[in-house]
Amino acid sequence: MTATVVLERRMPADETQDRIADLVSAARAGDRLALEALLESIERRVYLLAYRLIGEPASAEDVAQDVLWKICGRLDQYAGSNFWGWVYRIVVNQVHDHRRAAGPAPAELLGLAAPVDYHPARQEQWRRVMEAMRVLTEKERAALVLTEIEGFSSREAARVLGCLPITVRVRAAHARQKVRRALSRYYPELRETT
């Protein structure tokens, strides 16, 4: 089994886009129950993205809570075109702010536990991939997570990250090379042949 399996798209089953749109409209109109339902329906996905960008459960939980608060406060600013792109942009910005405020964390303090719904046989594989992702810059990690795990196109990821699609593709390619190199000590089949 290769490490690429761990990077598969792991988005939880979502409410339909129409349901989300209805909840957003009702929440913007002042319906508190709709706002609560909206936050409940996006909470797990927000946490998972924060976790994939940070790699540490407690920090991801803090970021996810901050993001949900920001969504509450900024829902009237949502333009109505791409809700998940708007949410992901808030998550990426909040992760950036969190990292800047926290400063660099010693490697031994980073949590490497797999999400609780992971099969036990994949726990070690997950730990290795998360460890390998430590070598990435924040920008490379964001590009890799958005395109390879969340399934965004380079154009969609570029909108979220505020850069050009080619920049996303280059960052994701560099990230894949670095992760592959780091994982090759565990998975010899990933070694580059020269």
Side-chain angles (χ1 to χ4, degrees), residues 8-21:
E8 70 191 27
R9 191 172 181 191
R10 301 249 327 135
M11 288 182 358
D14 278 330
E15 305 275 336
T16 64
Q17 290 293 2
D18 292 338
R19 169 112 169 102
I20 293 286

PDB file of all heavy atoms in Angstrom, residues 8-21:
ATOM      1  N   GLU A   8      -6.185  10.797  -0.300  1.00  0.00           N
ATOM      2  CA  GLU A   8      -7.444  10.779  -1.034  1.00  0.00           C
ATOM      3  C   GLU A   8      -8.384  11.844  -0.499  1.00  0.00           C
ATOM      4  O   GLU A   8      -8.273  12.282   0.633  1.00  0.00           O
ATOM      5  CB  GLU A   8      -8.096   9.407  -0.939  1.00  0.00           C
ATOM      6  CG  GLU A   8      -8.620   9.116   0.441  1.00  0.00           C
ATOM      7  CD  GLU A   8      -9.023   7.676   0.627  1.00  0.00           C
ATOM      8  OE1 GLU A   8      -8.470   6.803  -0.058  1.00  0.00           O
ATOM      9  OE2 GLU A   8      -9.896   7.437   1.465  1.00  0.00           O
ATOM     10  N   ARG A   9      -9.299  12.227  -1.300  1.00  0.00           N
ATOM     11  CA  ARG A   9     -10.282  13.235  -0.900  1.00  0.00           C
ATOM     12  C   ARG A   9     -11.158  12.665   0.209  1.00  0.00           C
ATOM     13  O   ARG A   9     -11.782  11.640   0.041  1.00  0.00           O
ATOM     14  CB  ARG A   9     -11.121  13.614  -2.114  1.00  0.00           C
ATOM     15  CG  ARG A   9     -11.983  14.808  -1.879  1.00  0.00           C
ATOM     16  CD  ARG A   9     -12.600  15.218  -3.177  1.00  0.00           C
ATOM     17  NE  ARG A   9     -13.422  16.392  -2.949  1.00  0.00           N
ATOM     18  CZ  ARG A   9     -14.247  16.855  -3.828  1.00  0.00           C
ATOM     19  NH1 ARG A   9     -14.368  16.285  -4.991  1.00  0.00           N
ATOM     20  NH2 ARG A   9     -14.964  17.919  -3.564  1.00  0.00           N
ATOM     21  N   ARG A  10     -11.196  13.346   1.364  1.00  0.00           N
ATOM     22  CA  ARG A  10     -11.886  12.824   2.530  1.00  0.00           C
ATOM     23  C   ARG A  10     -12.976  13.752   3.018  1.00  0.00           C
ATOM     24  O   ARG A  10     -13.261  13.817   4.197  1.00  0.00           O
ATOM     25  CB  ARG A  10     -10.902  12.598   3.682  1.00  0.00           C
ATOM     26  CG  ARG A  10      -9.818  11.657   3.371  1.00  0.00           C
ATOM     27  CD  ARG A  10      -9.869  10.370   4.091  1.00  0.00           C
ATOM     28  NE  ARG A  10     -10.412  10.480   5.409  1.00  0.00           N
ATOM     29  CZ  ARG A  10     -11.308   9.648   5.902  1.00  0.00           C
ATOM     30  NH1 ARG A  10     -11.772   8.672   5.168  1.00  0.00           N
ATOM     31  NH2 ARG A  10     -11.765   9.769   7.133  1.00  0.00           N
ATOM     32  N   MET A  11     -13.603  14.493   2.129  1.00  0.00           N
ATOM     33  CA  MET A  11     -14.657  15.390   2.558  1.00  0.00           C
ATOM     34  C   MET A  11     -15.857  14.583   3.033  1.00  0.00           C
ATOM     35  O   MET A  11     -16.259  13.627   2.393  1.00  0.00           O
ATOM     36  CB  MET A  11     -15.086  16.310   1.415  1.00  0.00           C
ATOM     37  CG  MET A  11     -14.056  17.342   1.105  1.00  0.00           C
ATOM     38  SD  MET A  11     -14.483  18.525  -0.185  1.00  0.00           S
ATOM     39  CE  MET A  11     -16.034  18.086  -0.771  1.00  0.00           C
ATOM     40  N   PRO A  12     -16.417  14.978   4.169  1.00  0.00           N
ATOM     41  CA  PRO A  12     -17.601  14.286   4.649  1.00  0.00           C
ATOM     42  C   PRO A  12     -18.788  14.567   3.748  1.00  0.00           C
ATOM     43  O   PRO A  12     -18.809  15.532   3.000  1.00  0.00           O
ATOM     44  CB  PRO A  12     -17.819  14.898   6.034  1.00  0.00           C
ATOM     45  CG  PRO A  12     -17.135  16.214   5.995  1.00  0.00           C
ATOM     46  CD  PRO A  12     -16.007  16.078   5.017  1.00  0.00           C
ATOM     47  N   ALA A  13     -19.793  13.730   3.839  1.00  0.00           N
ATOM     48  CA  ALA A  13     -21.013  13.959   3.064  1.00  0.00           C
ATOM     49  C   ALA A  13     -21.605  15.289   3.484  1.00  0.00           C
ATOM     50  O   ALA A  13     -21.756  15.580   4.654  1.00  0.00           O
ATOM     51  CB  ALA A  13     -21.988  12.827   3.301  1.00  0.00           C
ATOM     52  N   ASP A  14     -21.885  16.128   2.543  1.00  0.00           N
ATOM     53  CA  ASP A  14     -22.395  17.465   2.823  1.00  0.00           C
ATOM     54  C   ASP A  14     -23.877  17.552   2.580  1.00  0.00           C
ATOM     55  O   ASP A  14     -24.462  16.736   1.875  1.00  0.00           O
ATOM     56  CB  ASP A  14     -21.743  18.489   1.880  1.00  0.00           C
ATOM     57  CG  ASP A  14     -20.397  18.928   2.365  1.00  0.00           C
ATOM     58  OD1 ASP A  14     -20.188  18.949   3.576  1.00  0.00           O
ATOM     59  OD2 ASP A  14     -19.569  19.242   1.509  1.00  0.00           O
ATOM     60  N   GLU A  15     -24.422  18.600   3.147  1.00  0.00           N
ATOM     61  CA  GLU A  15     -25.780  18.981   2.795  1.00  0.00           C
ATOM     62  C   GLU A  15     -25.727  19.335   1.304  1.00  0.00           C
ATOM     63  O   GLU A  15     -24.692  19.701   0.780  1.00  0.00           O
ATOM     64  CB  GLU A  15     -26.173  20.235   3.581  1.00  0.00           C
ATOM     65  CG  GLU A  15     -26.031  20.115   5.069  1.00  0.00           C
ATOM     66  CD  GLU A  15     -27.243  19.499   5.713  1.00  0.00           C
ATOM     67  OE1 GLU A  15     -28.337  19.567   5.131  1.00  0.00           O
ATOM     68  OE2 GLU A  15     -27.093  18.929   6.785  1.00  0.00           O
ATOM     69  N   THR A  16     -26.824  19.251   0.648  1.00  0.00           N
ATOM     70  CA  THR A  16     -26.835  19.635  -0.756  1.00  0.00           C
ATOM     71  C   THR A  16     -26.562  21.120  -0.867  1.00  0.00           C
ATOM     72  O   THR A  16     -26.801  21.893   0.076  1.00  0.00           O
ATOM     73  CB  THR A  16     -28.192  19.320  -1.406  1.00  0.00           C
ATOM     74  OG1 THR A  16     -29.201  20.115  -0.770  1.00  0.00           O
ATOM     75  CG2 THR A  16     -28.535  17.843  -1.295  1.00  0.00           C
ATOM     76  N   GLN A  17     -26.079  21.539  -2.002  1.00  0.00           N
ATOM     77  CA  GLN A  17     -25.785  22.957  -2.226  1.00  0.00           C
ATOM     78  C   GLN A  17     -27.044  23.796  -2.066  1.00  0.00           C
ATOM     79  O   GLN A  17     -27.006  24.898  -1.543  1.00  0.00           O
ATOM     80  CB  GLN A  17     -25.167  23.161  -3.613  1.00  0.00           C
ATOM     81  CG  GLN A  17     -23.771  22.621  -3.742  1.00  0.00           C
ATOM     82  CD  GLN A  17     -22.755  23.372  -2.880  1.00  0.00           C
ATOM     83  OE1 GLN A  17     -23.049  24.290  -2.137  1.00  0.00           O
ATOM     84  NE2 GLN A  17     -21.518  22.957  -2.977  1.00  0.00           N
ATOM     85  N   ASP A  18     -28.179  23.257  -2.520  1.00  0.00           N
ATOM     86  CA  ASP A  18     -29.432  23.995  -2.386  1.00  0.00           C
ATOM     87  C   ASP A  18     -29.794  24.206  -0.925  1.00  0.00           C
ATOM     88  O   ASP A  18     -30.243  25.280  -0.537  1.00  0.00           O
ATOM     89  CB  ASP A  18     -30.574  23.262  -3.107  1.00  0.00           C
ATOM     90  CG  ASP A  18     -30.398  23.254  -4.616  1.00  0.00           C
ATOM     91  OD1 ASP A  18     -29.676  24.127  -5.136  1.00  0.00           O
ATOM     92  OD2 ASP A  18     -30.980  22.369  -5.266  1.00  0.00           O
ATOM     93  N   ARG A  19     -29.606  23.175  -0.113  1.00  0.00           N
ATOM     94  CA  ARG A  19     -29.905  23.288   1.326  1.00  0.00           C
ATOM     95  C   ARG A  19     -29.003  24.330   1.974  1.00  0.00           C
ATOM     96  O   ARG A  19     -29.462  25.146   2.758  1.00  0.00           O
ATOM     97  CB  ARG A  19     -29.738  21.923   1.997  1.00  0.00           C
ATOM     98  CG  ARG A  19     -29.771  21.980   3.510  1.00  0.00           C
ATOM     99  CD  ARG A  19     -30.999  21.312   4.067  1.00  0.00           C
ATOM    100  NE  ARG A  19     -30.892  21.154   5.509  1.00  0.00           N
ATOM    101  CZ  ARG A  19     -31.507  21.950   6.371  1.00  0.00           C
ATOM    102  NH1 ARG A  19     -32.267  22.920   5.951  1.00  0.00           N
ATOM    103  NH2 ARG A  19     -31.377  21.755   7.665  1.00  0.00           N
ATOM    104  N   ILE A  20     -27.726  24.303   1.635  1.00  0.00           N
ATOM    105  CA  ILE A  20     -26.789  25.294   2.175  1.00  0.00           C
ATOM    106  C   ILE A  20     -27.223  26.690   1.743  1.00  0.00           C
ATOM    107  O   ILE A  20     -27.258  27.616   2.554  1.00  0.00           O
ATOM    108  CB  ILE A  20     -25.334  25.014   1.710  1.00  0.00           C
ATOM    109  CG1 ILE A  20     -24.815  23.724   2.316  1.00  0.00           C
ATOM    110  CG2 ILE A  20     -24.414  26.174   2.027  1.00  0.00           C
ATOM    111  CD1 ILE A  20     -24.472  23.779   3.776  1.00  0.00           C
ATOM    112  N   ALA A  21     -27.558  26.846   0.475  1.00  0.00           N
ATOM    113  CA  ALA A  21     -27.987  28.153  -0.031  1.00  0.00           C
ATOM    114  C   ALA A  21     -29.237  28.633   0.697  1.00  0.00           C
ATOM    115  O   ALA A  21     -29.343  29.822   1.048  1.00  0.00           O
ATOM    116  CB  ALA A  21     -28.235  28.083  -1.530  1.00  0.00           C
TER     117      ALA A  21
END
